Amino acid sequence: MTGLDILLADRCRALRGQRVGLLCHPASVDAQLRHAALLLRDAGVDLRALFGPQHGLRGETQDNMVEWDGFHDPVTGLPVYSLYGEHRKPTAAMLRGIDTLVVDLQDIGARYYTFVWTLLHCLEACAEQGKRVVVLDRPNPLGGDREGNVLDMRWRSFVGLAPIPMRHGLTIGEMALCFRDLYDLLVELEVVRMEGWRPGMLFDETGLPWVMPSPNMPTLDTALVYPGMCLLEGTELSEGRGTTRPFEICGAPYVDPARLAAAMADHGLPGCAFRPLHFEPAFQKHAGRLCGGVQIHVFDRDSFLPVQTAIALLAAVRALWPRDFAWRQPPYEYEYERLPIDILAGGPDLREAIDAGADHLSITRHWDADLLQFEIVVRECWRYGP
């Protein structure tokens, strides 16, 4: 049971006598696919406003980095405030009419996925305005495993606002507790825990229905590769946006699919295989052009390493087509000077190592010590065990 289910089973006692705002999106549903806004309203909660993160309250912004404006919701009759537009942090005016902000967001478990940074901004705003925050916990779809480097805070951006790994292994409730402690936020915070979830579980082991938390996250398979393949947003390679399998498919017009698939097979990466293919993105990079590339097929989810796999892929394309491969130029996610790959990777080290011809093992082997230190720091925030 998710935090939403637990709250409803308790007849929303935690919200009685409170004027409530709700931060939510299309995946804010119960096990019967009923949306949190309607469930809370029907349960008698005094709901005053809705807030939405990147991709909109209703998931209406298909492409990446598309701002949206607030509106009046015709279903609930409530004002809807955009937290991915003119403001990414709730203003005092947005919070004026509420006592408690309820957060019910399905996260993916990757540092670059901006919902956790919207959560952080909400915690900061509520601390400043003396508002209470209730986070309805949901599963980390990728379980509790961690991978990748820990963000160097000199490279802080909206795809990384705290020193967490690329694949962080926390639920959104645990992340809220982590943010409160990390930044000494004086905010009244309550996390409504799940029942029946363990960190070793992937999302499809929960029995809950998968609802796209954003338009380019159609399946759990997408989420499995995302902590690594999102790095391709820092290149001119297509990360598969504009196809039916974003982040699982990648390539470019100059890529020979067979050569790339063979090079990746030679690495012997655990848990996956690479199928050569051609594709034509309907939008975004190389829209309307025939691209060559590969699709990642994950066969063993326990041994699969998404970050290491994506770094091996970037290094392979860079080595095979050095004259064609290019790092993407800014702007990217509200950054106008630094390279997108550098803010995604938390610094220039990854880019410089790939440009110098380093392989994925030499790039990633020194990250383990930082991951261990991260686990020590966040251990007190764990609510479901290690």
Side-chain angles (χ1 to χ4, degrees):
M1 296 174 72
T2 66
L4 174 63
D5 296 319
I6 299 295
L7 178 75
L8 292 166
D10 195 39
R11 300 185 178 184
C12 299
R13 282 195 298 176
L15 303 179
R16 286 180 190 170
Q18 298 281 294
R19 298 171 300 168
V20 173
L22 174 63
L23 171 59
C24 57
H25 61 169
S28 307
V29 297
D30 70 356
Q32 285 75 48
L33 296 171
R34 297 173 296 185
H35 196 271
L38 301 181
L39 289 168
L40 295 186
R41 182 197 64 181
D42 294 346
V45 172
D46 185 4
L47 207 52
R48 298 295 183 98
L50 302 175
F51 299 78
Q54 186 175 12
H55 296 292
L57 182 85
R58 301 175 294 196
E60 55 265 62
T61 55
Q62 167 65 240
D63 203 355
N64 199 20
M65 294 176 285
V66 178
E67 294 186 335
W68 60 281
D69 296 325
F71 57 93
H72 200 82
D73 180 33
V75 177
T76 61
L78 296 171
V80 176
Y81 296 114
S82 170
L83 298 181
Y84 195 81
E86 181 180 2
H87 302 284
R88 280 172 287 154
K89 177 179 177 179
T91 65
M94 292 178 186
L95 297 174
R96 187 166 297 136
I98 69 171
D99 304 305
T100 295
L101 179 64
V102 175
V103 178
D104 188 21
L105 295 177
Q106 178 60 62
D107 185 38
I108 287 300
R111 185 173 73 209
Y112 337 103
Y113 207 62
T114 62
F115 295 165
V116 292
W117 310 124
T118 298
L119 166 69
L120 173 58
H121 283 328
C122 286
L123 291 169
E124 293 170 337
C126 287
E128 294 163 4
Q129 300 301 320
K131 308 296 182 181
R132 174 174 170 246
V133 177
V134 174
V135 177
L136 307 180
D137 213 358
R138 288 185 175 272
N140 182 324
L142 309 181
D145 288 345
R146 284 163 277 278
E147 191 191 359
N149 66 1
V150 175
L151 180 71
D152 179 340
M153 289 297 283
R154 292 174 297 178
W155 294 86
R156 196 171 184 265
S157 75
F158 199 56
V159 288
L161 288 170
I164 66 173
M166 293 167 166
R167 178 181 179 180
H168 55 69
L170 301 177
T171 69
I172 196 163
E174 292 171 327
M175 189 64 82
L177 295 167
C178 175
F179 288 157
R180 182 196 60 186
D181 296 348
L182 191 62
Y183 294 111
D184 295 324
L185 297 173
L186 299 177
V187 60
E188 183 181 353
L189 171 63
E190 178 181 346
V191 174
V192 180
R193 293 177 45 152
M194 298 176 282
E195 286 186 1
W197 189 77
R198 304 182 309 278
M201 297 172 72
L202 296 181
F203 191 88
D204 57 2
E205 297 174 277
T206 67
L208 295 169
W210 179 269
V211 175
M212 294 185 296
S214 57
N216 284 285
M217 198 59 63
T219 69
L220 175 60
D221 290 337
T222 322
L224 285 169
V225 301
Y226 182 82
M229 293 299 285
C230 184
L231 291 169
L232 272 66
E233 291 187 4
T235 74
E236 291 299 336
L237 285 170
S238 168
E239 68 269 20
R241 289 184 187 273
T243 77
T244 52
R245 307 297 291 196
F247 300 104
E248 296 172 69
I249 286 174
C250 66
Y254 60 83
V255 169
D256 178 332
R259 285 187 71 193
L260 180 57
M264 294 305 294
D266 286 344
H267 286 305
L269 292 154
C272 64
F274 301 86
R275 182 177 63 87
L277 86 167
H278 289 88
F279 64 100
E280 185 177 296
F283 62 89
Q284 255 256 8
K285 298 173 192 170
H286 313 301
R289 299 181 66 190
L290 182 63
C291 295
V294 293
Q295 179 174 355
I296 302 175
H297 294 262
V298 178
F299 294 118
D300 182 351
R301 303 184 305 185
D302 293 332
S303 63
F304 176 60
L305 297 170
V307 175
Q308 195 168 114
T309 299
I311 291 173
L313 192 145
L314 286 173
V317 177
R318 176 71 175 83
L320 288 169
W321 295 280
R323 294 184 179 178
D324 299 295
F325 179 86
W327 301 107
R328 184 176 177 177
Q329 297 299 306
Y332 176 80
E333 287 289 4
Y334 299 100
E335 293 292 331
Y336 299 93
E337 296 183 359
R338 295 182 291 186
L339 290 176
I341 187 62
D342 292 353
I343 61 171
L344 284 164
D349 293 354
L350 174 63
R351 172 177 54 84
E352 291 173 354
I354 290 175
D355 282 343
D359 65 23
H360 61 285
L361 294 174
S362 64
I363 292 172
T364 60
R365 69 165 54 101
H366 66 282
W367 291 350
D368 289 347
D370 288 345
L371 285 175
L372 183 59
Q373 183 61 34
F374 173 77
E375 290 183 9
I376 294 170
V377 170
V378 301
R379 190 161 293 169
E380 292 187 4
C381 301
W382 289 344
R383 289 298 177 269
Y384 310 95

